[in-house]
Amino acid sequence: MGTVLRKPRHAEAKVSIFQQRPNAVSSPLTSRDTRNRQNGGGGGRGCGCEGQNEICGGGGGGIAGVTCAEQLALQFTEEDVLLLTAAPLIKAVTNFKQVSRTLEEFDVEEQVSSVLESRYPNIKVVQSAVKELKTNQQRVITEDGAEYVYNKLCLCAGARPKVIAEGNPYVLGIRDTDSAQIFQRRLAQARRVLVVGNGGIALELVYEIEGCEVIWAVKDKSIGNTFFDPGAAEFLIPQLKSDKPETPLTCKRTKYTTEMPAGREDCGRGSALGPDWHEGMNLRAAQKFSHRVRIEAECEVQRIFLQEEFQRLHSPRTEREEDSATPDPGEWPVYVELTNGKTYGCDLIVSATGVIPNIEPFMLGNNFDIGEDGGVKVDDHMRTSARNVYAAGDICTAAWTPSPFWQQMRLWTQARQMGWFAARCMAADHLGETIELDFCFELFAHVTKFFNYKVILLGKYNAQGLGTDHELLLRCTMGQEYVKVVMQNGRMVGAVLIGETNLEETFENLILNQMDLSAYGEDLLDPNIDIEDYFD
């Protein structure tokens, strides 16, 4: 028996569903796409169809949802996978490369849904918004009135940015392609931008912006506190004082654009940015210099003033660099008062202060267990506390007892891994099979690029949770490489590698194997010893 789905006509959602195709093996599970009937009429918009269903999986157009749908489509080739997504475009993993046992590299490509559908004939993408989830009825209701009855559901709704001043026209949170393009347009005429935050987006932005003064407000003592110790931060800072190397502004992948609703600059429904979102974008303002960055450490935003309010309450004098390349115009459209007592006038404020799991569309009337970070708790099979509901990616909080060398971070690598593993768990549970926690959760491993350096983070790279019971070994060659290993009881438990060190696979094995390295002491990082061959 086949299933006919009427596609919702409007935009937004986070679900994917597996429908059984004609001539497939019969299943006792059912799924429906129904609409409210008008006075019982059978031929209008309210008509619905019923058919057999194997598995329902949850989505969203981000990496976790798309990966989950792809994996389920491969495992259940005789069923239709319905991916409900908020965004008109979806994110897909391309050029995947397994660097080592746990390290992986990939690109994120933004695609129209037809590309995904052509690659996986049993995937159907529906652009629709989730209005309500009724877990007691195993039913998803979308904003346009469509209803989907599921057997198993995976929530992959991602997270939304924390914006320090919602509704302020001069404060922009960069999350998706649309907001990145808005920033690009507004940067073109900017003289000074204030960036608030100390995570990955802030690190990338501050380095990529050229031809515009940047005031960087961070709450920590050093930059990149999420990823680096103060020593690594000092290694990177010289890059902010030098010109960026010239790179062609060519994009290596197809770019798609969508029309926004009239009168709205950003509908806020796109999927999160990829790891190389700024490639192919011109983030240069009009002034004729490369970098001009001033770091304000250990401070946060106290208050934001629009021009008229500031002039009424304050004198026009504001803090600025003595060697500022921008003549103080006396008037700025917006002013920011920091907790260190300084006030800066600027053209634009970028809020890059982290994300909040996007759980709201699914909470009404449901009883999900929620973690301290606001995510939906999942066990080691990616199951939530609601029956037949799974979750993956930024929306979820890993509530299982983790490996000693793994921690959850809301990064692209973990979104892909969780989406992939959630699909495997859904399939195993449906088929009555057992499955062990995947090896990718044994060791935290992440590869990225900051300030034009390759950066690799392994295990407890910042000695997370170790207290004082650890020691550090360092090797640094300014302008070339920075190597830090975290040792506990003579064994390696974490590492930071900046630059082309070629040590990632060796250190990964040393952490996983827990070899006693006490006898080597500081010689472990001796540049004259070929450690790769020694521990091969």
Side-chain angles (χ1 to χ4, degrees):
M1 295 173 60
T3 298
V4 178
L5 292 179
R6 297 177 180 273
K7 295 190 177 183
R9 297 183 299 177
H10 302 296
E12 211 210 312
K14 300 121 175 146
V15 180
S16 72
I17 301 180
F18 291 75
Q19 305 290 335
Q20 187 160 324
R21 303 173 80 181
N23 303 320
V25 177
S26 178
S27 166
L29 309 176
T30 62
S31 175
R32 291 181 295 171
D33 171 15
T34 63
R35 297 179 187 270
N36 296 327
R37 298 172 183 260
Q38 299 177 353
N39 301 320
R45 181 178 180 273
C47 178
C49 299
E50 187 171 324
Q52 296 292 333
N53 171 63
E54 276 288 339
I55 295 179
C56 303
I63 285 299
V66 173
T67 302
C68 181
E70 289 177 330
Q71 181 65 19
L72 282 167
L74 289 171
Q75 290 191 248
F76 294 89
T77 57
E78 295 304 314
E79 286 134 46
D80 290 332
V81 181
L82 177 63
L83 177 66
L84 304 188
T85 172
L89 303 175
I90 57 96
K91 306 279 186 178
V93 169
T94 61
N95 302 321
F96 180 85
K97 177 183 178 183
Q98 194 73 42
V99 178
S100 63
R101 294 166 70 187
T102 58
L103 273 172
E104 56 189 45
E105 289 183 325
F106 56 83
D107 296 325
V108 174
E109 181 173 324
E110 196 167 56
Q111 299 175 346
V112 292
S113 59
S114 59
V115 176
L116 182 65
E117 291 171 330
S118 64
R119 188 180 302 124
Y120 299 91
N122 56 330
I123 288 183
K124 307 297 181 185
V125 181
V126 173
Q127 189 180 331
S128 178
V130 169
K131 179 181 179 181
E132 187 177 1
L133 169 63
K134 296 183 177 181
T135 57
N136 59 335
Q137 300 177 19
Q138 299 198 174
R139 184 183 301 263
V140 175
I141 303 172
T142 57
E143 283 186 350
D144 66 341
E147 297 186 8
Y148 301 93
V149 178
Y150 62 85
N151 172 45
K152 294 186 185 299
L153 169 72
C154 185
L155 306 177
C156 306
R160 66 182 189 277
K162 298 176 184 176
V163 180
I164 56 176
E166 290 278 3
N168 189 306
Y170 296 99
V171 178
L172 179 63
I174 298 181
R175 177 188 183 274
D176 53 20
T177 303
D178 289 340
S179 58
Q181 291 173 344
I182 292 168
F183 173 72
Q184 181 181 14
R185 292 196 299 268
R186 297 180 69 173
L187 175 67
Q189 302 302 320
R191 300 155 294 172
R192 183 185 294 164
V193 170
L194 189 137
V195 177
V196 184
N198 203 18
I201 292 288
L203 282 164
E204 291 172 322
L205 265 183
V206 170
Y207 179 73
E208 294 298 329
I209 292 174
E210 296 183 276
C212 176
E213 287 189 88
V214 177
I215 309 299
W216 189 6
V218 301
K219 65 179 181 179
D220 307 297
K221 291 184 178 181
S222 59
I223 66 168
N225 190 63
T226 303
F227 303 101
F228 308 123
D229 59 12
E234 288 299 316
F235 174 83
L236 292 171
I237 282 178
Q239 290 293 97
L240 294 179
K241 300 176 181 178
S242 60
D243 291 348
K244 278 182 59 183
E246 290 292 331
T247 55
L249 289 171
T250 56
C251 186
K252 58 187 175 184
R253 294 185 297 278
T254 304
K255 291 290 182 183
Y256 301 93
T257 59
T258 58
E259 294 183 1
M260 297 182 191
R264 296 187 64 178
E265 199 173 36
D266 179 15
C267 60
R269 291 181 170 180
S271 301
L273 290 164
D276 56 354
W277 62 273
H278 48 77
E279 290 191 12
M281 295 188 72
N282 184 0
L283 296 182
R284 173 178 282 278
Q287 299 178 73
K288 298 186 182 302
F289 57 82
S290 182
H291 288 133
R292 190 65 59 93
V293 180
R294 178 167 183 165
I295 301 171
E296 293 290 352
E298 297 185 88
C299 70
E300 298 181 67
V301 172
Q302 179 78 29
R303 190 173 177 184
I304 297 174
F305 304 92
L306 297 182
Q307 183 185 99
E308 183 178 345
E309 182 185 14
F310 182 82
Q311 290 175 340
R312 187 172 66 249
L313 298 175
H314 297 78
S315 67
R317 181 175 177 274
T318 62
E319 292 285 344
R320 63 189 184 92
E321 290 185 281
E322 293 181 0
D323 62 342
S324 172
T326 305
D328 193 338
E331 293 184 353
W332 296 90
V334 64
Y335 293 82
V336 181
E337 180 183 333
L338 303 176
T339 53
N340 63 5
K342 296 181 181 180
T343 301
Y344 287 96
C346 56
D347 296 301
L348 180 64
I349 302 164
V350 178
S351 178
T353 53
V355 297
I356 303 170
N358 191 30
I359 64 174
E360 283 74 12
F362 314 105
M363 298 305 295
L364 181 64
N366 299 313
N367 190 28
F368 288 108
D369 290 341
I370 304 300
E372 293 182 1
D373 60 0
V376 177
K377 285 186 176 181
V378 294
D379 64 12
D380 59 1
H381 278 61
M382 308 308 293
R383 294 175 295 211
T384 71
S385 56
R387 183 172 177 268
N388 290 327
V389 179
Y390 301 70
D394 288 357
I395 194 176
C396 77
T397 297
W400 67 81
T401 301
S403 155
F405 313 117
W406 186 87
Q407 59 275 337
Q408 183 181 9
M409 293 183 70
R410 288 179 166 86
L411 301 169
W412 280 92
T413 46
Q414 289 191 355
R416 193 205 68 81
Q417 291 165 349
M418 285 182 168
W420 178 83
F421 185 59
R424 292 189 62 214
C425 290
M426 293 168 70
D429 289 348
H430 176 67
L431 297 172
E433 299 174 350
T434 59
I435 186 172
E436 298 295 327
L437 189 65
D438 193 79
F439 186 76
C440 67
F441 300 107
E442 282 296 309
L443 173 68
F444 175 85
H446 185 60
V447 56
T448 186
K449 178 180 280 190
F450 289 127
F451 294 13
N452 209 37
Y453 285 107
K454 181 179 180 180
V455 176
I456 292 176
L457 309 173
L458 297 172
K460 300 295 183 178
Y461 62 90
N462 256 352
Q464 298 96 321
L466 301 183
T468 58
D469 184 24
H470 68 278
E471 61 178 333
L472 303 178
L473 299 179
L474 299 175
R475 184 175 90 195
C476 178
T477 304
M478 290 302 293
Q480 294 185 24
E481 66 171 15
Y482 179 90
V483 179
K484 179 187 78 173
V485 297
V486 182
M487 306 290 293
Q488 186 178 52
N489 300 323
R491 292 167 170 81
M492 189 180 299
V493 296
V496 175
L497 307 174
I498 304 177
E500 297 295 336
T501 66
N502 296 319
L503 294 172
E504 52 266 30
E505 191 168 1
T506 301
F507 284 4
E508 175 192 65
N509 290 330
L510 290 175
I511 295 172
L512 289 169
N513 296 340
Q514 284 296 282
M515 179 186 296
D516 188 347
L517 304 171
S518 303
Y520 301 98
E522 294 183 0
D523 290 341
L524 188 65
L525 296 185
D526 188 335
N528 297 315
I529 298 176
D530 192 343
I531 190 172
E532 295 176 80
D533 290 339
Y534 194 84
F535 289 107
D536 189 5

PDB file of all heavy atoms in Angstrom, residues 164 194 196 300-305 310 334-338 342-346 349:
ATOM      1  N   ILE A 164      22.213  39.628  22.260  1.00  0.00           N
ATOM      2  CA  ILE A 164      22.290  40.427  23.487  1.00  0.00           C
ATOM      3  C   ILE A 164      21.205  41.492  23.571  1.00  0.00           C
ATOM      4  O   ILE A 164      20.882  41.948  24.658  1.00  0.00           O
ATOM      5  CB  ILE A 164      23.679  41.084  23.632  1.00  0.00           C
ATOM      6  CG1 ILE A 164      24.005  41.944  22.398  1.00  0.00           C
ATOM      7  CG2 ILE A 164      24.740  40.032  23.859  1.00  0.00           C
ATOM      8  CD1 ILE A 164      25.310  42.691  22.504  1.00  0.00           C
ATOM      9  N   LEU A 194      31.636  46.443  16.589  1.00  0.00           N
ATOM     10  CA  LEU A 194      31.932  45.856  17.894  1.00  0.00           C
ATOM     11  C   LEU A 194      31.431  44.414  17.897  1.00  0.00           C
ATOM     12  O   LEU A 194      30.259  44.151  17.634  1.00  0.00           O
ATOM     13  CB  LEU A 194      31.267  46.652  19.018  1.00  0.00           C
ATOM     14  CG  LEU A 194      31.691  46.239  20.434  1.00  0.00           C
ATOM     15  CD1 LEU A 194      31.929  47.455  21.319  1.00  0.00           C
ATOM     16  CD2 LEU A 194      30.666  45.309  21.091  1.00  0.00           C
ATOM     17  N   VAL A 196      30.889  40.987  20.047  1.00  0.00           N
ATOM     18  CA  VAL A 196      30.726  40.502  21.412  1.00  0.00           C
ATOM     19  C   VAL A 196      30.699  38.980  21.387  1.00  0.00           C
ATOM     20  O   VAL A 196      29.872  38.380  20.693  1.00  0.00           O
ATOM     21  CB  VAL A 196      29.422  41.034  22.043  1.00  0.00           C
ATOM     22  CG1 VAL A 196      29.319  40.592  23.509  1.00  0.00           C
ATOM     23  CG2 VAL A 196      29.342  42.546  21.939  1.00  0.00           C
ATOM     24  N   GLU A 300      31.818  42.612  29.603  1.00  0.00           N
ATOM     25  CA  GLU A 300      30.611  42.302  28.860  1.00  0.00           C
ATOM     26  C   GLU A 300      29.883  43.595  28.542  1.00  0.00           C
ATOM     27  O   GLU A 300      30.288  44.674  28.977  1.00  0.00           O
ATOM     28  CB  GLU A 300      29.717  41.356  29.676  1.00  0.00           C
ATOM     29  CG  GLU A 300      30.372  40.012  29.972  1.00  0.00           C
ATOM     30  CD  GLU A 300      29.471  39.089  30.766  1.00  0.00           C
ATOM     31  OE1 GLU A 300      28.446  38.667  30.212  1.00  0.00           O
ATOM     32  OE2 GLU A 300      29.802  38.805  31.937  1.00  0.00           O
ATOM     33  N   VAL A 301      28.814  43.480  27.781  1.00  0.00           N
ATOM     34  CA  VAL A 301      28.030  44.660  27.434  1.00  0.00           C
ATOM     35  C   VAL A 301      27.145  45.040  28.611  1.00  0.00           C
ATOM     36  O   VAL A 301      26.359  44.220  29.103  1.00  0.00           O
ATOM     37  CB  VAL A 301      27.171  44.404  26.181  1.00  0.00           C
ATOM     38  CG1 VAL A 301      26.221  45.565  25.929  1.00  0.00           C
ATOM     39  CG2 VAL A 301      28.071  44.178  24.969  1.00  0.00           C
ATOM     40  N   GLN A 302      27.300  46.271  29.067  1.00  0.00           N
ATOM     41  CA  GLN A 302      26.478  46.780  30.162  1.00  0.00           C
ATOM     42  C   GLN A 302      25.170  47.369  29.641  1.00  0.00           C
ATOM     43  O   GLN A 302      24.098  47.111  30.174  1.00  0.00           O
ATOM     44  CB  GLN A 302      27.249  47.872  30.932  1.00  0.00           C
ATOM     45  CG  GLN A 302      26.502  48.517  32.092  1.00  0.00           C
ATOM     46  CD  GLN A 302      26.493  47.632  33.322  1.00  0.00           C
ATOM     47  OE1 GLN A 302      27.419  46.841  33.525  1.00  0.00           O
ATOM     48  NE2 GLN A 302      25.458  47.735  34.129  1.00  0.00           N
ATOM     49  N   ARG A 303      25.300  48.166  28.562  1.00  0.00           N
ATOM     50  CA  ARG A 303      24.116  48.852  28.048  1.00  0.00           C
ATOM     51  C   ARG A 303      24.376  49.302  26.615  1.00  0.00           C
ATOM     52  O   ARG A 303      25.517  49.573  26.245  1.00  0.00           O
ATOM     53  CB  ARG A 303      23.786  50.060  28.935  1.00  0.00           C
ATOM     54  CG  ARG A 303      22.438  50.711  28.634  1.00  0.00           C
ATOM     55  CD  ARG A 303      22.120  51.783  29.663  1.00  0.00           C
ATOM     56  NE  ARG A 303      20.871  52.464  29.338  1.00  0.00           N
ATOM     57  CZ  ARG A 303      20.379  53.494  30.021  1.00  0.00           C
ATOM     58  NH1 ARG A 303      21.030  53.956  31.076  1.00  0.00           N
ATOM     59  NH2 ARG A 303      19.242  54.054  29.662  1.00  0.00           N
ATOM     60  N   ILE A 304      23.322  49.358  25.829  1.00  0.00           N
ATOM     61  CA  ILE A 304      23.411  49.828  24.448  1.00  0.00           C
ATOM     62  C   ILE A 304      22.517  51.051  24.293  1.00  0.00           C
ATOM     63  O   ILE A 304      21.366  51.058  24.740  1.00  0.00           O
ATOM     64  CB  ILE A 304      22.968  48.725  23.468  1.00  0.00           C
ATOM     65  CG1 ILE A 304      23.921  47.516  23.574  1.00  0.00           C
ATOM     66  CG2 ILE A 304      22.950  49.245  22.028  1.00  0.00           C
ATOM     67  CD1 ILE A 304      23.480  46.327  22.747  1.00  0.00           C
ATOM     68  N   PHE A 305      23.081  52.110  23.682  1.00  0.00           N
ATOM     69  CA  PHE A 305      22.342  53.353  23.475  1.00  0.00           C
ATOM     70  C   PHE A 305      22.213  53.639  21.985  1.00  0.00           C
ATOM     71  O   PHE A 305      23.188  53.509  21.239  1.00  0.00           O
ATOM     72  CB  PHE A 305      23.074  54.548  24.106  1.00  0.00           C
ATOM     73  CG  PHE A 305      23.361  54.404  25.576  1.00  0.00           C
ATOM     74  CD1 PHE A 305      24.565  53.868  26.010  1.00  0.00           C
ATOM     75  CD2 PHE A 305      22.444  54.827  26.524  1.00  0.00           C
ATOM     76  CE1 PHE A 305      24.849  53.746  27.358  1.00  0.00           C
ATOM     77  CE2 PHE A 305      22.725  54.714  27.877  1.00  0.00           C
ATOM     78  CZ  PHE A 305      23.926  54.164  28.301  1.00  0.00           C
ATOM     79  N   PHE A 310      21.929  58.409  23.664  1.00  0.00           N
ATOM     80  CA  PHE A 310      23.280  58.614  24.176  1.00  0.00           C
ATOM     81  C   PHE A 310      23.615  60.096  24.297  1.00  0.00           C
ATOM     82  O   PHE A 310      24.201  60.536  25.297  1.00  0.00           O
ATOM     83  CB  PHE A 310      24.294  57.924  23.255  1.00  0.00           C
ATOM     84  CG  PHE A 310      25.716  58.048  23.741  1.00  0.00           C
ATOM     85  CD1 PHE A 310      26.198  57.199  24.714  1.00  0.00           C
ATOM     86  CD2 PHE A 310      26.570  59.027  23.231  1.00  0.00           C
ATOM     87  CE1 PHE A 310      27.504  57.312  25.168  1.00  0.00           C
ATOM     88  CE2 PHE A 310      27.865  59.156  23.683  1.00  0.00           C
ATOM     89  CZ  PHE A 310      28.332  58.283  24.652  1.00  0.00           C
ATOM     90  N   VAL A 334      25.067  54.003  17.077  1.00  0.00           N
ATOM     91  CA  VAL A 334      24.832  53.221  18.285  1.00  0.00           C
ATOM     92  C   VAL A 334      26.083  53.268  19.160  1.00  0.00           C
ATOM     93  O   VAL A 334      27.206  53.370  18.647  1.00  0.00           O
ATOM     94  CB  VAL A 334      24.461  51.755  17.925  1.00  0.00           C
ATOM     95  CG1 VAL A 334      25.613  51.047  17.227  1.00  0.00           C
ATOM     96  CG2 VAL A 334      23.991  50.969  19.138  1.00  0.00           C
ATOM     97  N   TYR A 335      25.879  53.220  20.468  1.00  0.00           N
ATOM     98  CA  TYR A 335      26.969  53.261  21.438  1.00  0.00           C
ATOM     99  C   TYR A 335      26.826  52.075  22.377  1.00  0.00           C
ATOM    100  O   TYR A 335      25.719  51.671  22.741  1.00  0.00           O
ATOM    101  CB  TYR A 335      26.938  54.559  22.251  1.00  0.00           C
ATOM    102  CG  TYR A 335      27.228  55.793  21.441  1.00  0.00           C
ATOM    103  CD1 TYR A 335      26.240  56.394  20.685  1.00  0.00           C
ATOM    104  CD2 TYR A 335      28.500  56.360  21.430  1.00  0.00           C
ATOM    105  CE1 TYR A 335      26.501  57.538  19.927  1.00  0.00           C
ATOM    106  CE2 TYR A 335      28.778  57.497  20.685  1.00  0.00           C
ATOM    107  CZ  TYR A 335      27.772  58.072  19.930  1.00  0.00           C
ATOM    108  OH  TYR A 335      28.041  59.205  19.189  1.00  0.00           O
ATOM    109  N   VAL A 336      27.991  51.529  22.796  1.00  0.00           N
ATOM    110  CA  VAL A 336      28.000  50.370  23.681  1.00  0.00           C
ATOM    111  C   VAL A 336      28.802  50.712  24.934  1.00  0.00           C
ATOM    112  O   VAL A 336      29.976  51.086  24.846  1.00  0.00           O
ATOM    113  CB  VAL A 336      28.617  49.132  22.991  1.00  0.00           C
ATOM    114  CG1 VAL A 336      28.590  47.939  23.939  1.00  0.00           C
ATOM    115  CG2 VAL A 336      27.873  48.812  21.711  1.00  0.00           C
ATOM    116  N   GLU A 337      28.172  50.575  26.085  1.00  0.00           N
ATOM    117  CA  GLU A 337      28.849  50.753  27.367  1.00  0.00           C
ATOM    118  C   GLU A 337      29.242  49.384  27.892  1.00  0.00           C
ATOM    119  O   GLU A 337      28.399  48.489  28.037  1.00  0.00           O
ATOM    120  CB  GLU A 337      27.925  51.450  28.363  1.00  0.00           C
ATOM    121  CG  GLU A 337      28.561  51.675  29.731  1.00  0.00           C
ATOM    122  CD  GLU A 337      27.591  52.302  30.711  1.00  0.00           C
ATOM    123  OE1 GLU A 337      26.663  53.016  30.272  1.00  0.00           O
ATOM    124  OE2 GLU A 337      27.752  52.060  31.927  1.00  0.00           O
ATOM    125  N   LEU A 338      30.538  49.183  28.134  1.00  0.00           N
ATOM    126  CA  LEU A 338      31.046  47.906  28.618  1.00  0.00           C
ATOM    127  C   LEU A 338      31.157  47.910  30.137  1.00  0.00           C
ATOM    128  O   LEU A 338      31.199  48.973  30.769  1.00  0.00           O
ATOM    129  CB  LEU A 338      32.408  47.602  27.989  1.00  0.00           C
ATOM    130  CG  LEU A 338      32.455  47.562  26.455  1.00  0.00           C
ATOM    131  CD1 LEU A 338      33.886  47.359  25.967  1.00  0.00           C
ATOM    132  CD2 LEU A 338      31.540  46.455  25.915  1.00  0.00           C
ATOM    133  N   LYS A 342      34.295  51.442  29.818  1.00  0.00           N
ATOM    134  CA  LYS A 342      34.550  52.086  28.537  1.00  0.00           C
ATOM    135  C   LYS A 342      33.279  52.090  27.679  1.00  0.00           C
ATOM    136  O   LYS A 342      32.447  51.188  27.767  1.00  0.00           O
ATOM    137  CB  LYS A 342      35.680  51.375  27.796  1.00  0.00           C
ATOM    138  CG  LYS A 342      37.026  51.468  28.514  1.00  0.00           C
ATOM    139  CD  LYS A 342      38.110  50.776  27.722  1.00  0.00           C
ATOM    140  CE  LYS A 342      39.454  50.846  28.449  1.00  0.00           C
ATOM    141  NZ  LYS A 342      40.526  50.164  27.677  1.00  0.00           N
ATOM    142  N   THR A 343      33.170  53.108  26.841  1.00  0.00           N
ATOM    143  CA  THR A 343      32.045  53.226  25.923  1.00  0.00           C
ATOM    144  C   THR A 343      32.566  53.452  24.517  1.00  0.00           C
ATOM    145  O   THR A 343      33.456  54.274  24.305  1.00  0.00           O
ATOM    146  CB  THR A 343      31.120  54.385  26.320  1.00  0.00           C
ATOM    147  OG1 THR A 343      30.628  54.160  27.645  1.00  0.00           O
ATOM    148  CG2 THR A 343      29.939  54.506  25.362  1.00  0.00           C
ATOM    149  N   TYR A 344      32.020  52.710  23.573  1.00  0.00           N
ATOM    150  CA  TYR A 344      32.448  52.827  22.181  1.00  0.00           C
ATOM    151  C   TYR A 344      31.252  53.153  21.294  1.00  0.00           C
ATOM    152  O   TYR A 344      30.182  52.547  21.419  1.00  0.00           O
ATOM    153  CB  TYR A 344      33.069  51.520  21.690  1.00  0.00           C
ATOM    154  CG  TYR A 344      34.444  51.229  22.234  1.00  0.00           C
ATOM    155  CD1 TYR A 344      34.604  50.419  23.346  1.00  0.00           C
ATOM    156  CD2 TYR A 344      35.571  51.766  21.631  1.00  0.00           C
ATOM    157  CE1 TYR A 344      35.873  50.144  23.854  1.00  0.00           C
ATOM    158  CE2 TYR A 344      36.840  51.505  22.123  1.00  0.00           C
ATOM    159  CZ  TYR A 344      36.982  50.703  23.232  1.00  0.00           C
ATOM    160  OH  TYR A 344      38.236  50.439  23.726  1.00  0.00           O
ATOM    161  N   GLY A 345      31.462  54.086  20.388  1.00  0.00           N
ATOM    162  CA  GLY A 345      30.512  54.302  19.319  1.00  0.00           C
ATOM    163  C   GLY A 345      30.864  53.415  18.146  1.00  0.00           C
ATOM    164  O   GLY A 345      32.047  53.152  17.884  1.00  0.00           O
ATOM    165  N   CYS A 346      29.861  52.920  17.434  1.00  0.00           N
ATOM    166  CA  CYS A 346      30.132  52.029  16.304  1.00  0.00           C
ATOM    167  C   CYS A 346      28.960  52.059  15.330  1.00  0.00           C
ATOM    168  O   CYS A 346      27.913  52.652  15.601  1.00  0.00           O
ATOM    169  CB  CYS A 346      30.410  50.605  16.784  1.00  0.00           C
ATOM    170  SG  CYS A 346      29.106  49.892  17.786  1.00  0.00           S
ATOM    171  N   ILE A 349      26.830  46.174  15.808  1.00  0.00           N
ATOM    172  CA  ILE A 349      27.220  45.278  16.895  1.00  0.00           C
ATOM    173  C   ILE A 349      26.906  43.859  16.453  1.00  0.00           C
ATOM    174  O   ILE A 349      25.787  43.567  16.021  1.00  0.00           O
ATOM    175  CB  ILE A 349      26.453  45.585  18.193  1.00  0.00           C
ATOM    176  CG1 ILE A 349      26.677  47.042  18.627  1.00  0.00           C
ATOM    177  CG2 ILE A 349      26.866  44.633  19.318  1.00  0.00           C
ATOM    178  CD1 ILE A 349      25.667  47.525  19.649  1.00  0.00           C
TER     179      ILE A 349
END
